[in-house]
C-alpha cells in the first residue's frame, strides 16, 4: 500500500513540475500561456487590408431579414433612425461613391453626420457588427449574418444592388465604392516605420501663440446654483449607455480652481425580496435591463410604468415579452425575445404585482 501511495505521489509531483514548466517564463509561477484555441476566440479583428476576415458570404435579402428582427428596433427600418443611436445611413450621393469623398462633410449647414458618411473602410463596418452587435447580445451573429447585414447596409446606401451577395471574395470591390474611402488621412506621422509611407512630418503646422494672443473669454452669464436642479437631477435622467453622462445637479457647479471630481454613479437599488431578486436576475440574464430600468425609462419604459397599466395581466405580459411590439409606449419597437417561456412568465408575474424592488 505504501509503495502504491509513493507511486501516486511521484506521478502527481511530475505533473505539477510539467505544469510549472508550461507556465510563462516571463512571470514564473503566475498563470500560463494562452493556447492557440483561446487566442483565436479573441483574435477576431478585421483590418482594412481584410486580414482576419473569415471566409463566408451573405445576401442583401438575408440581411434584410436579420436587420428587421435584430437591428431595426434601435436603428430604424432603413438605418435612418436617430431615436436611440445616431443614424447609420443618409447624406451620401452617387457622386460621393464615384469620387470617394462625401461632399456633405464639408457643409456647415448639413443637419448631421451619419456613419456611412464618415466611415472610410468597409472592414470597419463588418468588424464592428461582428464584435458588438446586437447591442443586447454581442457576438451572437453568425458569419453569414454579419456578411448579410453588412450587405444590407451597403444596399441602403446604394453602394451595392438589391441582388448582391457580399463575400470575402468580392469585399475588396465594395471597398472601391465606399463613399468616403478617400476621406481618411494616414500620412500624419502617428505610426513608426513604413507601414503608412513612413511619413516623418505631421500633417499639421500649428504654432504656439507667444505675443498679442487672444485673451481668455469671460463668461457674462451663468445658471445660478439654486436653478441647477429645477428639473431634477440630470445624472439620474441619462441612459446608462454611451459616452454621455448628465451632471450631478444636486451639487453646485465647480468653480475655477476647485478640484473636479467625477460624479458618483447612481447606486442601483438592491431587491429586498426573493421574488424581486429572481426576476431582476432574469432581466439581467436576458439583457432586458439594457433597454428598461426598474423605475425609469432607458430606451423603453421602466418596469414600474408597465406594471401600472397591466396589474394582474400575467399571460398578457408574458405574451408581449415573447412577441415584442410597438406603439404602446412610443415608436421604438421591442423585438421578439427568445427567452424560455418559464422565464418570461416569472418576469411577467413580478411585473403584474407591481415590479417591486
Amino acid at each position: 500500500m505504501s509503495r502504491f501511495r509513493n507511486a501516486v505521489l511521484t506521478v502527481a509531483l511530475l505533473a505539477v513540475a510539467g505544469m510549472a514548466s508550461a507556465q510563462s517564463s516571463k512571470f514564473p509561477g503566475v498563470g500560463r500561456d494562452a493556447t492557440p484555441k483561446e487566442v483565436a476566440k479573441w483574435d477576431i479583428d478585421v483590418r482594412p487590408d481584410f486580414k482576419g476576415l473569415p471566409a463566408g458570404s451573405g445576401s442583401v435579402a438575408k440581411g434584410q431579414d436579420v436587420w428587421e428582427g435584430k437591428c431595426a428596433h434601435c436603428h430604424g427600418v432603413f438605418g435612418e433612425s436617430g431615436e436611440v443611436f445616431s443614424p447609420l445611413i443618409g447624406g451620401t450621393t452617387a457622386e460621393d461613391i464615384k469620387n470617394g469623398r462625401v461632399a456633405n462633410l464639408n457643409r456647415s449647414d448639413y443637419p448631421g453626420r451619419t456613419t456611412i458618411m464618415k466611415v472610410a473602410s468597409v472592414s470597419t463596418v463588418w468588424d464592428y457588427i461582428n464584435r458588438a452587435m446586437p447591442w443586447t447580445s454581442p457576438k451572437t451573429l453568425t458569419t453569414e449574418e454579419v456578411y448579410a447585414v453588412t450587405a444590407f447596409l451597403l444596399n441602403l446606401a446604394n453602394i451595392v444592388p438589391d441582388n448582391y451577395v457580399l463575400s470575402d471574395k468580392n469585399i475588396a470591390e465594395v471597398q472601391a465604392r465606399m463613399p468616403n474611402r478617400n476621406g481618411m488621412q494616414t500620412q500624419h506621422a502617428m505610426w513608426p516605420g513604413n507601414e503608412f509611407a513612413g511619413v516623418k512630418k505631421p500633417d499639421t503646422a500649428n504654432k504656439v501663440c507667444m505675443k498679442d494672443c487672444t485673451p481668455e473669454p469671460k463668461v457674462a452669464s451663468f445658471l445660478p446654483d439654486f436653478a441647477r436642479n429645477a428639473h431634477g437631477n440630470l445624472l439620474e435622467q441619462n441612459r446608462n449607455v454611451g459616452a454621455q453622462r448628465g451632471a450631478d445637479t444636486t451639487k453646485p457647479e465647480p468653480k475655477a480652481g476647485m478640484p473636479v471630481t467625477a460624479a458618483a454613479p447612481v447606486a442601483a437599488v438592491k431587491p429586498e425580496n426573493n421574488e424581486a431578486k429572481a426576476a431582476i436576475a432574469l432581466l439581467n440574464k436576458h439583457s432586458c435591463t439594457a433597454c428598461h430600468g426598474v423605475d425609469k425609462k432607458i430606451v423603453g419604459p421602466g418596469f414600474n410604468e408597465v406594471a401600472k397599466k397591466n396589474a394582474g395581466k400575467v399571460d398578457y405580459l408574458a405574451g408581449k415579452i415573447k412577441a415584442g411590439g410597438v406603439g404602446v409606449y412610443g415608436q421604438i419597437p421591442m423585438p421578439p425575445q427568445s427567452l424560455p417561456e418559464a422565464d418570461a412568465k416569472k418576469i411577467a408575474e413580478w411585473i403584474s404585482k407591481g415590479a417591486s424592488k
Side-chain angles (χ1 to χ4, degrees), residues 174-232:
V174 175
Q175 175 59 39
R177 289 178 52 79
M178 290 295 285
N180 199 40
R181 62 187 178 275
N182 297 324
M184 184 172 69
Q185 173 62 266
T186 60
Q187 298 184 357
H188 36 52
M190 291 184 67
W191 288 275
N194 297 318
E195 186 172 2
F196 291 100
V199 178
K200 302 297 183 185
K201 184 180 178 181
D203 60 352
T204 60
N206 297 331
K207 294 182 179 180
V208 178
C209 182
M210 301 303 294
K211 63 179 182 178
D212 300 326
C213 305
T214 303
E216 290 290 329
K218 293 183 179 180
V219 179
S221 63
F222 63 94
L223 185 68
D225 289 341
F226 67 81
R228 278 172 59 80
N229 206 41
H231 299 285

Side-chain angles (χ1 to χ4, degrees), residues 40-339:
K41 290 183 179 180
W42 288 94
D43 187 17
I44 63 172
D45 63 296
V46 178
R47 298 187 349 176
D49 61 0
F50 304 115
K51 182 177 180 180
L53 182 71
S57 64
S59 67
V60 172
K62 169 74 173 179
Q64 183 174 2
D65 291 339
V66 177
W67 182 268
E68 291 176 354
K70 300 182 179 182
C71 314
H73 58 283
C74 282
H75 298 292
V77 176
F78 303 105
E80 83 297 352
S81 174
E83 292 188 77
V84 182
F85 300 108
S86 297
L88 303 179
I89 302 298
T92 59
T93 66
E95 196 66 20
D96 297 334
I97 295 173
K98 178 180 177 182
N99 298 328
R101 295 298 295 269
V102 176
N104 281 329
L105 289 175
N106 295 322
R107 287 176 51 188
S108 59
D109 62 334
Y110 194 76
R113 297 183 176 187
T114 66
T115 298
I116 201 65
M117 287 172 64
K118 297 180 289 183
V119 69
S121 56
V122 69
S123 62
T124 302
V125 179
W126 199 102
D127 181 272
Y128 189 78
I129 293 171
N130 183 50
R131 72 172 61 246
M133 294 292 110
W135 180 34
T136 54
S137 306
K139 296 186 178 73
T140 59
L141 298 178
T142 66
T143 298
E144 181 192 9
E145 288 175 329
V146 177
Y147 272 109
V149 169
T150 305
F152 178 67
L153 284 173
L154 294 170
N155 174 253
L156 288 177
N158 297 314
I159 297 170
V160 301
D162 295 345
N163 61 351
Y164 198 77
V165 178
L166 180 67
S167 72
D168 59 306
K169 306 298 183 185
N170 61 17
I171 196 168
E173 300 172 11
V174 175
Q175 175 59 39
R177 289 178 52 79
M178 290 295 285
N180 199 40
R181 62 187 178 275
N182 297 324
M184 184 172 69
Q185 173 62 266
T186 60
Q187 298 184 357
H188 36 52
M190 291 184 67
W191 288 275
N194 297 318
E195 186 172 2
F196 291 100
V199 178
K200 302 297 183 185
K201 184 180 178 181
D203 60 352
T204 60
N206 297 331
K207 294 182 179 180
V208 178
C209 182
M210 301 303 294
K211 63 179 182 178
D212 300 326
C213 305
T214 303
E216 290 290 329
K218 293 183 179 180
V219 179
S221 63
F222 63 94
L223 185 68
D225 289 341
F226 67 81
R228 278 172 59 80
N229 206 41
H231 299 285
N233 189 359
L234 296 182
L235 179 63
E236 297 178 355
Q237 297 174 33
N238 277 64
R239 293 185 290 133
N240 293 323
V241 296
Q244 304 301 322
R245 293 289 185 272
D248 186 352
T249 52
T250 62
K251 300 177 181 178
E253 184 176 5
K255 308 301 181 185
M258 291 176 59
V260 179
T261 56
V266 179
V269 179
K270 295 182 179 179
E272 298 175 353
N273 56 66
N274 291 333
E275 185 178 17
K277 287 181 180 179
I280 292 175
L282 289 174
L283 295 173
N284 291 327
K285 176 183 176 181
H286 298 297
S287 300
C288 304
T289 50
C291 292
H292 305 275
V294 174
D295 54 3
K296 63 181 178 180
K297 176 179 179 179
I298 300 179
V299 175
F303 293 113
N304 284 357
E305 183 181 352
V306 177
K308 290 177 183 177
K309 289 186 177 182
N310 301 282
K313 300 179 181 178
V314 178
D315 293 337
Y316 170 78
L317 288 169
K320 292 295 288 185
I321 291 170
K322 291 288 291 181
V326 63
V328 179
Y329 297 96
Q331 295 306 308
I332 301 177
M334 185 180 84
Q337 304 299 310
S338 59
L339 73 171

Side-chain angles (χ1 to χ4, degrees), residues 1-13:
M1 194 71 173
S2 177
R3 289 180 181 177
F4 175 75
R5 184 175 62 184
N6 290 339
V8 170
L9 288 173
T10 301
V11 171
L13 289 171

